[in-house]
Amino acid sequence: MSSIEQFGYRQELQRSLGFADLMIYGLIFMVPIAPFGIFGNVFALSGGMVALAYVIGLVAMAFSGLSYAQMARAFPMAGSVYTYAGRGIAPPVGFIAGWAILLDYLLVPALLYLVASTAMNSFVPAVPVWLWLVAFVLLNTVVNYLGIQMTARITRIMLVAELLVLAIFLVVAGIALAQGKGTAGALTPIYDSATFSWTLVFGAASVAVLSFLGFDGISTLAEENREDARRLGRSMVAALALAAVLFVVQTWVAALLVPDRAALLAPGAQLGNAFYDMASYAGGAWLGVLCAVATAIAWGFANSLVAQAATSRLLFAMARDRQLPSFLARVDPKHKVPANATIAVAAVSLLLGVGMSLYDKGIDLLSSLVNFGAMTAFLLLHVAVVVHYVVRRRSRNWLAHLVVPVIGFAVLVLVVINASLAAQLLGFIWLGLGLLAVVVLYVMGRRPALPSEVS
């Protein structure tokens, strides 16, 4: 276990998480059944090659996971890519990386709450979307405020429940395939010559990566890790690998059972309930309802719980370095959590969630922006690995410190280029505001700086 005092910080958070806790946290953040909620969108965008889209998403995230592991070992502190780019390259670059990842971290809880609340409203129409959203936000805020150990216990329970639902789906779907209900060839979900194009699958991958986002959230818990810093990196890679296997298997099986492929690929198709319709076709209405309710609870409670925790740690780290308002750095003396940052995330999630619930394309817009912010920050992460290890430390571990980050950077560029135009436009506007904020900080005499640089 590395000390953070050597970097100019005081240990304030409680070190109580082990390898298993961190890996489970990452799995819950990614949601083992995440493809349930966006299956229709990825299926349509990929021309039915949904499993291939997830494989490409895995490749993009695998290189990022390996780079995260290298930087977590070098700088075992909260703050994720903000810390890694700031200390690996320069503090102003760290600010931009933190600003970019904020587009992911600040929006993802609101996205999760909105998806879950919309799903619950479809089951209980008498309760409006905004009221479901308020209930989810309040519940998660209370759990997170009670401490990271409480969050860890809840995530273990939720992980078991999600894996149980996934197992039930796979068994029933397997029986359906054995009975001849399959609607496509065995290899169609990975390659379909009638629809294949690299632009198509990379565009679909830019949406599929949403399911993988979350493994990086483990890095925000570095100061609550009780073991060696290398275990932090290994837990990220392990969580990513396990999630990838689950994603590819479930989407492959699901793509073989889509009852009306042509209708789902047609322009203007209703995609939100595609997975649940497929589950109903495979095993009956009860399976469709089970998958839908499980998705709502997983996104609205389990996933958003850990997303709120990760976001609060990022705000805490940036505020501690005086790059965000200092009140966000306050730690509750009893529960050892960033109290004000936790409440701030809840407030932002509530406002964004309710606001976007009034917009027809709110979920699609939030999804695109979340992905764009994460991919942009990951690009800077790969640059940080090369600068810190190869340029500064003269590392000769060419594979880990040069080849992996360069390939990861190139793959992410392809994903970003193929993202939606709306996401690109709003994402670049967000980055522009971040650059403007850096200029303002310099003009005010508060250039981005880290404790070791402060005189």
Short mmCIF file of all heavy atoms in Angstrom, two decimals, residues 4 8-15 76-80 82-83 98 101-102 105-106 219-224 307-333 336-345 449-451:
data_model
loop_
_atom_site.label_atom_id
_atom_site.label_comp_id
_atom_site.label_asym_id
_atom_site.label_seq_id
_atom_site.Cartn_x
_atom_site.Cartn_y
_atom_site.Cartn_z
N ILE A 4 0.10 8.45 0.42
CA ILE A 4 -0.15 9.63 -0.42
C ILE A 4 0.56 10.86 0.14
O ILE A 4 0.58 11.90 -0.51
CB ILE A 4 -1.66 9.91 -0.57
CG1 ILE A 4 -2.29 10.24 0.79
CG2 ILE A 4 -2.35 8.73 -1.22
CD1 ILE A 4 -3.71 10.74 0.66
N GLY A 8 2.19 15.07 -1.17
CA GLY A 8 1.73 16.33 -0.59
C GLY A 8 0.32 16.32 -0.06
O GLY A 8 -0.27 17.38 0.18
N TYR A 9 -0.27 15.11 0.14
CA TYR A 9 -1.64 15.02 0.62
C TYR A 9 -1.68 14.38 2.01
O TYR A 9 -0.75 13.69 2.43
CB TYR A 9 -2.50 14.18 -0.33
CG TYR A 9 -2.64 14.77 -1.71
CD1 TYR A 9 -2.12 14.10 -2.82
CD2 TYR A 9 -3.28 15.98 -1.93
CE1 TYR A 9 -2.25 14.62 -4.10
CE2 TYR A 9 -3.41 16.51 -3.19
CZ TYR A 9 -2.89 15.83 -4.28
OH TYR A 9 -3.02 16.36 -5.54
N ARG A 10 -2.81 14.58 2.67
CA ARG A 10 -3.05 13.96 3.98
C ARG A 10 -4.09 12.86 3.79
O ARG A 10 -5.08 13.03 3.09
CB ARG A 10 -3.58 15.03 4.94
CG ARG A 10 -3.78 14.57 6.38
CD ARG A 10 -3.90 15.79 7.30
NE ARG A 10 -4.90 16.73 6.81
CZ ARG A 10 -6.18 16.72 7.16
NH1 ARG A 10 -6.62 15.80 8.00
NH2 ARG A 10 -7.02 17.61 6.70
N GLN A 11 -3.85 11.70 4.42
CA GLN A 11 -4.79 10.58 4.32
C GLN A 11 -6.05 10.92 5.11
O GLN A 11 -6.03 11.00 6.33
CB GLN A 11 -4.17 9.30 4.87
CG GLN A 11 -5.06 8.07 4.79
CD GLN A 11 -5.34 7.64 3.35
OE1 GLN A 11 -4.43 7.53 2.54
NE2 GLN A 11 -6.60 7.40 3.03
N GLU A 12 -7.18 11.13 4.41
CA GLU A 12 -8.43 11.48 5.06
C GLU A 12 -9.51 10.41 4.88
O GLU A 12 -10.38 10.25 5.73
CB GLU A 12 -8.95 12.81 4.50
CG GLU A 12 -8.05 14.01 4.78
CD GLU A 12 -8.64 15.29 4.23
OE1 GLU A 12 -9.40 15.96 4.96
OE2 GLU A 12 -8.36 15.61 3.05
N LEU A 13 -9.47 9.72 3.75
CA LEU A 13 -10.48 8.70 3.48
C LEU A 13 -10.09 7.38 4.14
O LEU A 13 -8.92 7.16 4.45
CB LEU A 13 -10.65 8.51 1.97
CG LEU A 13 -10.98 9.79 1.18
CD1 LEU A 13 -11.13 9.48 -0.30
CD2 LEU A 13 -12.25 10.45 1.72
N GLN A 14 -11.05 6.52 4.38
CA GLN A 14 -10.82 5.27 5.11
C GLN A 14 -10.33 4.16 4.18
O GLN A 14 -11.00 3.79 3.22
CB GLN A 14 -12.10 4.82 5.82
CG GLN A 14 -11.94 3.58 6.66
CD GLN A 14 -13.23 3.19 7.37
OE1 GLN A 14 -14.25 3.85 7.19
NE2 GLN A 14 -13.17 2.15 8.16
N ARG A 15 -9.17 3.59 4.48
CA ARG A 15 -8.63 2.49 3.68
C ARG A 15 -9.24 1.19 4.17
O ARG A 15 -8.79 0.60 5.15
CB ARG A 15 -7.10 2.45 3.79
CG ARG A 15 -6.40 3.61 3.09
CD ARG A 15 -4.91 3.35 2.94
NE ARG A 15 -4.22 4.41 2.24
CZ ARG A 15 -4.12 4.51 0.90
NH1 ARG A 15 -4.69 3.60 0.15
NH2 ARG A 15 -3.46 5.51 0.35
N PRO A 76 -0.91 6.47 -6.86
CA PRO A 76 -2.03 5.81 -6.18
C PRO A 76 -2.90 6.78 -5.38
O PRO A 76 -2.95 6.75 -4.15
CB PRO A 76 -1.31 4.81 -5.26
CG PRO A 76 -0.02 5.51 -4.92
CD PRO A 76 0.38 6.23 -6.17
N MET A 77 -3.59 7.67 -6.10
CA MET A 77 -4.42 8.69 -5.46
C MET A 77 -5.78 8.76 -6.12
O MET A 77 -5.96 8.32 -7.25
CB MET A 77 -3.74 10.07 -5.56
CG MET A 77 -2.45 10.19 -4.77
SD MET A 77 -1.54 11.68 -5.26
CE MET A 77 -0.88 11.14 -6.83
N ALA A 78 -6.73 9.35 -5.39
CA ALA A 78 -8.05 9.59 -5.96
C ALA A 78 -7.92 10.61 -7.09
O ALA A 78 -6.97 11.39 -7.12
CB ALA A 78 -9.00 10.10 -4.89
N GLY A 79 -8.86 10.59 -8.01
CA GLY A 79 -8.84 11.58 -9.07
C GLY A 79 -8.79 11.00 -10.47
O GLY A 79 -8.94 11.72 -11.45
N SER A 80 -8.51 9.69 -10.57
CA SER A 80 -8.54 9.02 -11.87
C SER A 80 -7.65 9.72 -12.89
O SER A 80 -6.53 10.12 -12.57
CB SER A 80 -10.00 8.94 -12.35
OG SER A 80 -10.12 8.19 -13.54
N TYR A 82 -7.66 12.60 -14.12
CA TYR A 82 -7.25 13.96 -13.74
C TYR A 82 -5.89 13.92 -13.06
O TYR A 82 -4.98 14.69 -13.40
CB TYR A 82 -8.30 14.58 -12.81
CG TYR A 82 -7.74 15.63 -11.88
CD1 TYR A 82 -7.34 16.87 -12.38
CD2 TYR A 82 -7.58 15.38 -10.52
CE1 TYR A 82 -6.79 17.83 -11.54
CE2 TYR A 82 -7.05 16.33 -9.68
CZ TYR A 82 -6.65 17.55 -10.18
OH TYR A 82 -6.10 18.50 -9.34
N THR A 83 -5.73 13.01 -12.12
CA THR A 83 -4.46 12.88 -11.40
C THR A 83 -3.37 12.37 -12.33
O THR A 83 -2.23 12.88 -12.32
CB THR A 83 -4.62 11.91 -10.22
OG1 THR A 83 -5.52 12.48 -9.26
CG2 THR A 83 -3.28 11.64 -9.54
N GLY A 98 -9.44 16.14 -16.38
CA GLY A 98 -10.48 16.08 -15.36
C GLY A 98 -11.77 16.71 -15.85
O GLY A 98 -12.86 16.20 -15.58
N ILE A 101 -13.40 14.20 -18.30
CA ILE A 101 -14.00 13.03 -17.63
C ILE A 101 -15.20 13.45 -16.80
O ILE A 101 -16.09 12.64 -16.52
CB ILE A 101 -12.96 12.29 -16.76
CG1 ILE A 101 -13.38 10.82 -16.55
CG2 ILE A 101 -12.75 12.97 -15.43
CD1 ILE A 101 -13.23 9.95 -17.76
N LEU A 102 -15.25 14.74 -16.40
CA LEU A 102 -16.43 15.23 -15.69
C LEU A 102 -17.67 15.14 -16.56
O LEU A 102 -18.78 14.95 -16.06
CB LEU A 102 -16.22 16.69 -15.23
CG LEU A 102 -15.52 16.91 -13.89
CD1 LEU A 102 -15.34 18.40 -13.63
CD2 LEU A 102 -16.31 16.27 -12.75
N TYR A 105 -18.53 11.59 -15.79
CA TYR A 105 -18.89 11.31 -14.41
C TYR A 105 -20.09 12.11 -13.90
O TYR A 105 -20.89 11.61 -13.13
CB TYR A 105 -17.68 11.56 -13.50
CG TYR A 105 -16.69 10.41 -13.48
CD1 TYR A 105 -16.61 9.51 -14.55
CD2 TYR A 105 -15.82 10.23 -12.42
CE1 TYR A 105 -15.70 8.48 -14.55
CE2 TYR A 105 -14.90 9.18 -12.40
CZ TYR A 105 -14.85 8.32 -13.48
OH TYR A 105 -13.95 7.29 -13.47
N LEU A 106 -20.20 13.37 -14.33
CA LEU A 106 -21.32 14.19 -13.86
C LEU A 106 -22.63 13.80 -14.54
O LEU A 106 -23.70 13.91 -13.94
CB LEU A 106 -21.06 15.68 -14.11
CG LEU A 106 -20.16 16.39 -13.10
CD1 LEU A 106 -19.95 17.84 -13.51
CD2 LEU A 106 -20.74 16.32 -11.69
N SER A 219 -10.33 3.46 -10.10
CA SER A 219 -9.16 4.30 -9.82
C SER A 219 -9.49 5.45 -8.86
O SER A 219 -8.60 5.96 -8.18
CB SER A 219 -8.58 4.86 -11.12
OG SER A 219 -9.50 5.73 -11.76
N THR A 220 -10.76 5.86 -8.81
CA THR A 220 -11.13 6.96 -7.90
C THR A 220 -11.11 6.52 -6.44
O THR A 220 -11.16 7.36 -5.54
CB THR A 220 -12.53 7.51 -8.24
OG1 THR A 220 -13.52 6.50 -8.00
CG2 THR A 220 -12.60 7.94 -9.70
N LEU A 221 -11.03 5.21 -6.20
CA LEU A 221 -11.02 4.68 -4.83
C LEU A 221 -9.62 4.35 -4.36
O LEU A 221 -9.44 3.62 -3.38
CB LEU A 221 -11.90 3.43 -4.74
CG LEU A 221 -13.36 3.58 -5.19
CD1 LEU A 221 -14.09 2.25 -5.03
CD2 LEU A 221 -14.05 4.67 -4.38
N ALA A 222 -8.60 4.89 -5.03
CA ALA A 222 -7.21 4.57 -4.70
C ALA A 222 -6.86 4.86 -3.24
O ALA A 222 -6.10 4.13 -2.62
CB ALA A 222 -6.26 5.34 -5.62
N GLU A 223 -7.44 5.91 -2.70
CA GLU A 223 -7.11 6.28 -1.31
C GLU A 223 -7.96 5.52 -0.30
O GLU A 223 -7.83 5.74 0.92
CB GLU A 223 -7.27 7.79 -1.13
CG GLU A 223 -6.23 8.58 -1.92
CD GLU A 223 -6.43 10.08 -1.87
OE1 GLU A 223 -6.87 10.58 -0.80
OE2 GLU A 223 -6.17 10.74 -2.88
N GLU A 224 -8.83 4.63 -0.79
CA GLU A 224 -9.60 3.75 0.09
C GLU A 224 -9.19 2.28 -0.10
O GLU A 224 -9.76 1.38 0.49
CB GLU A 224 -11.09 3.95 -0.17
CG GLU A 224 -11.57 5.30 0.34
CD GLU A 224 -12.73 5.89 -0.45
OE1 GLU A 224 -12.51 6.34 -1.59
OE2 GLU A 224 -13.86 5.91 0.09
N ALA A 307 -21.59 5.01 -9.29
CA ALA A 307 -21.28 6.16 -10.14
C ALA A 307 -21.23 7.44 -9.30
O ALA A 307 -20.35 8.29 -9.48
CB ALA A 307 -22.31 6.30 -11.26
N GLN A 308 -22.17 7.57 -8.38
CA GLN A 308 -22.18 8.73 -7.50
C GLN A 308 -20.94 8.74 -6.62
O GLN A 308 -20.33 9.79 -6.40
CB GLN A 308 -23.44 8.74 -6.64
CG GLN A 308 -23.57 9.99 -5.76
CD GLN A 308 -24.80 9.94 -4.87
OE1 GLN A 308 -25.14 8.89 -4.33
NE2 GLN A 308 -25.48 11.06 -4.72
N ALA A 309 -20.55 7.58 -6.13
CA ALA A 309 -19.35 7.47 -5.28
C ALA A 309 -18.11 7.89 -6.07
O ALA A 309 -17.26 8.65 -5.57
CB ALA A 309 -19.20 6.05 -4.75
N ALA A 310 -17.97 7.40 -7.30
CA ALA A 310 -16.80 7.71 -8.11
C ALA A 310 -16.75 9.20 -8.45
O ALA A 310 -15.69 9.84 -8.36
CB ALA A 310 -16.82 6.89 -9.40
N THR A 311 -17.88 9.77 -8.83
CA THR A 311 -17.93 11.18 -9.19
C THR A 311 -17.58 12.07 -8.02
O THR A 311 -16.85 13.06 -8.15
CB THR A 311 -19.32 11.55 -9.72
OG1 THR A 311 -19.69 10.64 -10.76
CG2 THR A 311 -19.34 12.97 -10.27
N SER A 312 -18.06 11.73 -6.84
CA SER A 312 -17.76 12.53 -5.65
C SER A 312 -16.27 12.51 -5.34
O SER A 312 -15.70 13.52 -4.91
CB SER A 312 -18.56 12.03 -4.45
OG SER A 312 -18.16 10.72 -4.07
N ARG A 313 -15.59 11.38 -5.59
CA ARG A 313 -14.14 11.31 -5.35
C ARG A 313 -13.37 12.15 -6.36
O ARG A 313 -12.34 12.73 -6.03
CB ARG A 313 -13.66 9.85 -5.41
CG ARG A 313 -13.69 9.10 -4.09
CD ARG A 313 -15.08 8.91 -3.56
NE ARG A 313 -15.16 8.10 -2.35
CZ ARG A 313 -16.28 7.86 -1.71
NH1 ARG A 313 -17.44 8.36 -2.17
NH2 ARG A 313 -16.29 7.14 -0.60
N LEU A 314 -13.85 12.21 -7.60
CA LEU A 314 -13.20 13.04 -8.60
C LEU A 314 -13.33 14.52 -8.23
O LEU A 314 -12.35 15.28 -8.28
CB LEU A 314 -13.81 12.79 -9.97
CG LEU A 314 -13.30 13.67 -11.12
CD1 LEU A 314 -11.81 13.49 -11.34
CD2 LEU A 314 -14.07 13.38 -12.41
N LEU A 315 -14.53 14.93 -7.84
CA LEU A 315 -14.73 16.32 -7.41
C LEU A 315 -13.87 16.64 -6.19
O LEU A 315 -13.27 17.73 -6.09
CB LEU A 315 -16.20 16.56 -7.07
CG LEU A 315 -17.20 16.43 -8.23
CD1 LEU A 315 -18.62 16.67 -7.73
CD2 LEU A 315 -16.87 17.42 -9.34
N PHE A 316 -13.79 15.69 -5.26
CA PHE A 316 -12.97 15.85 -4.06
C PHE A 316 -11.50 16.08 -4.43
O PHE A 316 -10.84 16.98 -3.90
CB PHE A 316 -13.12 14.60 -3.19
CG PHE A 316 -12.04 14.41 -2.16
CD1 PHE A 316 -12.03 15.16 -0.99
CD2 PHE A 316 -11.03 13.46 -2.35
CE1 PHE A 316 -11.04 14.97 -0.03
CE2 PHE A 316 -10.04 13.27 -1.40
CZ PHE A 316 -10.04 14.03 -0.24
N ALA A 317 -10.98 15.27 -5.35
CA ALA A 317 -9.57 15.38 -5.73
C ALA A 317 -9.28 16.72 -6.41
O ALA A 317 -8.26 17.35 -6.13
CB ALA A 317 -9.20 14.22 -6.66
N MET A 318 -10.16 17.16 -7.31
CA MET A 318 -9.93 18.42 -8.00
C MET A 318 -10.09 19.61 -7.06
O MET A 318 -9.35 20.60 -7.16
CB MET A 318 -10.89 18.54 -9.20
CG MET A 318 -10.65 17.51 -10.28
SD MET A 318 -11.67 17.73 -11.78
CE MET A 318 -10.89 19.19 -12.51
N ALA A 319 -11.04 19.52 -6.13
CA ALA A 319 -11.24 20.61 -5.16
C ALA A 319 -10.07 20.69 -4.19
O ALA A 319 -9.66 21.79 -3.77
CB ALA A 319 -12.55 20.41 -4.40
N ARG A 320 -9.52 19.54 -3.81
CA ARG A 320 -8.38 19.51 -2.90
C ARG A 320 -7.17 20.23 -3.50
O ARG A 320 -6.35 20.80 -2.79
CB ARG A 320 -8.04 18.04 -2.60
CG ARG A 320 -6.89 17.82 -1.65
CD ARG A 320 -6.75 16.34 -1.30
NE ARG A 320 -6.50 15.50 -2.48
CZ ARG A 320 -6.38 14.19 -2.43
NH1 ARG A 320 -6.51 13.54 -1.27
NH2 ARG A 320 -6.14 13.49 -3.53
N ASP A 321 -7.08 20.20 -4.84
CA ASP A 321 -6.00 20.88 -5.54
C ASP A 321 -6.37 22.30 -5.96
O ASP A 321 -5.70 22.90 -6.79
CB ASP A 321 -5.59 20.08 -6.78
CG ASP A 321 -4.93 18.76 -6.43
OD1 ASP A 321 -4.40 18.65 -5.31
OD2 ASP A 321 -4.95 17.84 -7.28
N ARG A 322 -7.50 22.82 -5.42
CA ARG A 322 -7.96 24.18 -5.68
C ARG A 322 -8.31 24.40 -7.15
O ARG A 322 -8.22 25.52 -7.66
CB ARG A 322 -6.91 25.21 -5.23
CG ARG A 322 -6.60 25.16 -3.74
CD ARG A 322 -5.49 26.11 -3.31
NE ARG A 322 -5.87 27.50 -3.55
CZ ARG A 322 -5.23 28.30 -4.40
NH1 ARG A 322 -4.24 27.85 -5.13
NH2 ARG A 322 -5.61 29.56 -4.54
N GLN A 323 -8.72 23.36 -7.85
CA GLN A 323 -9.13 23.50 -9.24
C GLN A 323 -10.65 23.44 -9.38
O GLN A 323 -11.18 23.56 -10.48
CB GLN A 323 -8.43 22.44 -10.09
CG GLN A 323 -6.92 22.65 -10.10
CD GLN A 323 -6.18 21.74 -11.04
OE1 GLN A 323 -6.74 21.24 -12.01
NE2 GLN A 323 -4.90 21.52 -10.78
N LEU A 324 -11.33 23.22 -8.27
CA LEU A 324 -12.77 23.36 -8.13
C LEU A 324 -13.01 24.01 -6.77
O LEU A 324 -12.10 24.05 -5.93
CB LEU A 324 -13.47 21.99 -8.21
CG LEU A 324 -13.56 21.32 -9.60
CD1 LEU A 324 -14.24 19.96 -9.47
CD2 LEU A 324 -14.31 22.20 -10.60
N PRO A 325 -14.22 24.53 -6.50
CA PRO A 325 -14.48 25.17 -5.21
C PRO A 325 -14.07 24.29 -4.03
O PRO A 325 -14.36 23.10 -3.99
CB PRO A 325 -16.00 25.41 -5.25
CG PRO A 325 -16.30 25.57 -6.70
CD PRO A 325 -15.39 24.62 -7.41
N SER A 326 -13.40 24.89 -3.05
CA SER A 326 -12.79 24.15 -1.94
C SER A 326 -13.81 23.43 -1.06
O SER A 326 -13.47 22.44 -0.40
CB SER A 326 -11.96 25.10 -1.07
OG SER A 326 -12.77 26.15 -0.56
N PHE A 327 -15.08 23.89 -1.03
CA PHE A 327 -16.06 23.23 -0.15
C PHE A 327 -16.31 21.79 -0.58
O PHE A 327 -16.75 20.96 0.22
CB PHE A 327 -17.36 24.03 -0.11
CG PHE A 327 -18.28 23.81 -1.28
CD1 PHE A 327 -19.27 22.83 -1.25
CD2 PHE A 327 -18.16 24.59 -2.43
CE1 PHE A 327 -20.11 22.63 -2.32
CE2 PHE A 327 -18.99 24.38 -3.51
CZ PHE A 327 -19.98 23.41 -3.46
N LEU A 328 -15.99 21.47 -1.84
CA LEU A 328 -16.18 20.10 -2.33
C LEU A 328 -15.14 19.13 -1.76
O LEU A 328 -15.27 17.92 -1.91
CB LEU A 328 -16.12 20.07 -3.86
CG LEU A 328 -17.25 20.78 -4.59
CD1 LEU A 328 -16.97 20.85 -6.09
CD2 LEU A 328 -18.59 20.08 -4.34
N ALA A 329 -14.10 19.67 -1.11
CA ALA A 329 -13.05 18.83 -0.55
C ALA A 329 -13.33 18.43 0.89
O ALA A 329 -12.54 17.70 1.50
CB ALA A 329 -11.70 19.54 -0.64
N ARG A 330 -14.44 18.86 1.45
CA ARG A 330 -14.73 18.53 2.85
C ARG A 330 -15.04 17.05 3.02
O ARG A 330 -15.82 16.47 2.29
CB ARG A 330 -15.93 19.35 3.35
CG ARG A 330 -16.33 18.99 4.78
CD ARG A 330 -17.56 19.74 5.25
NE ARG A 330 -18.00 19.24 6.55
CZ ARG A 330 -18.85 18.22 6.72
NH1 ARG A 330 -19.35 17.60 5.67
NH2 ARG A 330 -19.19 17.81 7.92
N VAL A 331 -14.40 16.44 4.00
CA VAL A 331 -14.61 15.03 4.33
C VAL A 331 -15.37 14.91 5.64
O VAL A 331 -15.01 15.56 6.63
CB VAL A 331 -13.26 14.27 4.44
CG1 VAL A 331 -13.47 12.85 4.92
CG2 VAL A 331 -12.55 14.28 3.09
N ASP A 332 -16.43 14.12 5.64
CA ASP A 332 -17.20 13.91 6.87
C ASP A 332 -16.32 13.20 7.90
O ASP A 332 -15.79 12.11 7.61
CB ASP A 332 -18.44 13.06 6.57
CG ASP A 332 -19.31 12.87 7.81
OD1 ASP A 332 -19.08 11.88 8.53
OD2 ASP A 332 -20.20 13.70 8.03
N PRO A 333 -16.11 13.77 9.09
CA PRO A 333 -15.19 13.19 10.07
C PRO A 333 -15.62 11.82 10.60
O PRO A 333 -14.78 11.02 11.01
CB PRO A 333 -15.17 14.23 11.19
CG PRO A 333 -16.45 14.99 11.05
CD PRO A 333 -16.72 15.01 9.58
N LYS A 336 -16.02 9.36 6.94
CA LYS A 336 -14.82 9.39 6.09
C LYS A 336 -15.15 9.36 4.60
O LYS A 336 -14.55 8.62 3.81
CB LYS A 336 -13.89 8.22 6.44
CG LYS A 336 -13.44 8.17 7.89
CD LYS A 336 -12.61 9.39 8.27
CE LYS A 336 -12.13 9.29 9.71
NZ LYS A 336 -11.35 10.50 10.10
N VAL A 337 -16.14 10.14 4.20
CA VAL A 337 -16.51 10.26 2.79
C VAL A 337 -16.52 11.75 2.43
O VAL A 337 -16.71 12.61 3.29
CB VAL A 337 -17.90 9.66 2.52
CG1 VAL A 337 -17.89 8.17 2.78
CG2 VAL A 337 -18.98 10.35 3.33
N PRO A 338 -16.30 12.09 1.14
CA PRO A 338 -16.38 13.48 0.71
C PRO A 338 -17.84 13.94 0.72
O PRO A 338 -18.56 13.81 -0.27
CB PRO A 338 -15.78 13.46 -0.70
CG PRO A 338 -15.94 12.06 -1.15
CD PRO A 338 -15.87 11.19 0.06
N ALA A 339 -18.28 14.45 1.85
CA ALA A 339 -19.70 14.71 2.08
C ALA A 339 -20.30 15.72 1.11
O ALA A 339 -21.34 15.46 0.49
CB ALA A 339 -19.89 15.18 3.52
N ASN A 340 -19.68 16.89 1.00
CA ASN A 340 -20.25 17.93 0.15
C ASN A 340 -20.25 17.53 -1.32
O ASN A 340 -21.17 17.85 -2.07
CB ASN A 340 -19.47 19.24 0.33
CG ASN A 340 -19.73 19.87 1.69
OD1 ASN A 340 -20.63 19.44 2.41
ND2 ASN A 340 -18.95 20.87 2.05
N ALA A 341 -19.20 16.82 -1.74
CA ALA A 341 -19.13 16.37 -3.13
C ALA A 341 -20.24 15.35 -3.41
O ALA A 341 -20.84 15.35 -4.49
CB ALA A 341 -17.76 15.76 -3.42
N THR A 342 -20.53 14.49 -2.44
CA THR A 342 -21.59 13.49 -2.59
C THR A 342 -22.94 14.17 -2.78
O THR A 342 -23.74 13.80 -3.64
CB THR A 342 -21.63 12.56 -1.37
OG1 THR A 342 -20.39 11.86 -1.26
CG2 THR A 342 -22.76 11.55 -1.49
N ILE A 343 -23.20 15.19 -1.95
CA ILE A 343 -24.46 15.92 -2.05
C ILE A 343 -24.54 16.72 -3.35
O ILE A 343 -25.60 16.81 -3.99
CB ILE A 343 -24.63 16.85 -0.83
CG1 ILE A 343 -24.76 16.01 0.44
CG2 ILE A 343 -25.84 17.76 -1.00
CD1 ILE A 343 -24.75 16.80 1.72
N ALA A 344 -23.40 17.28 -3.78
CA ALA A 344 -23.37 18.05 -5.02
C ALA A 344 -23.71 17.17 -6.22
O ALA A 344 -24.46 17.57 -7.11
CB ALA A 344 -22.00 18.69 -5.21
N VAL A 345 -23.17 15.95 -6.24
CA VAL A 345 -23.46 15.02 -7.33
C VAL A 345 -24.94 14.68 -7.35
O VAL A 345 -25.57 14.62 -8.41
CB VAL A 345 -22.62 13.73 -7.20
CG1 VAL A 345 -23.03 12.71 -8.26
CG2 VAL A 345 -21.14 14.05 -7.33
N ALA A 449 -2.07 23.80 -10.38
CA ALA A 449 -0.83 23.33 -9.78
C ALA A 449 -1.15 22.23 -8.79
O ALA A 449 -2.24 22.17 -8.24
CB ALA A 449 -0.11 24.47 -9.06
N LEU A 450 -0.20 21.35 -8.56
CA LEU A 450 -0.36 20.24 -7.65
C LEU A 450 0.47 20.50 -6.40
O LEU A 450 1.41 21.28 -6.44
CB LEU A 450 0.07 18.93 -8.32
CG LEU A 450 -0.77 18.60 -9.57
CD1 LEU A 450 -0.17 17.40 -10.31
CD2 LEU A 450 -2.21 18.31 -9.20
N PRO A 451 0.13 19.87 -5.27
CA PRO A 451 0.80 20.16 -4.00
C PRO A 451 2.31 20.17 -4.06
O PRO A 451 2.97 21.01 -3.46
CB PRO A 451 0.28 19.07 -3.08
CG PRO A 451 -1.09 18.79 -3.59
CD PRO A 451 -0.96 18.92 -5.08
#
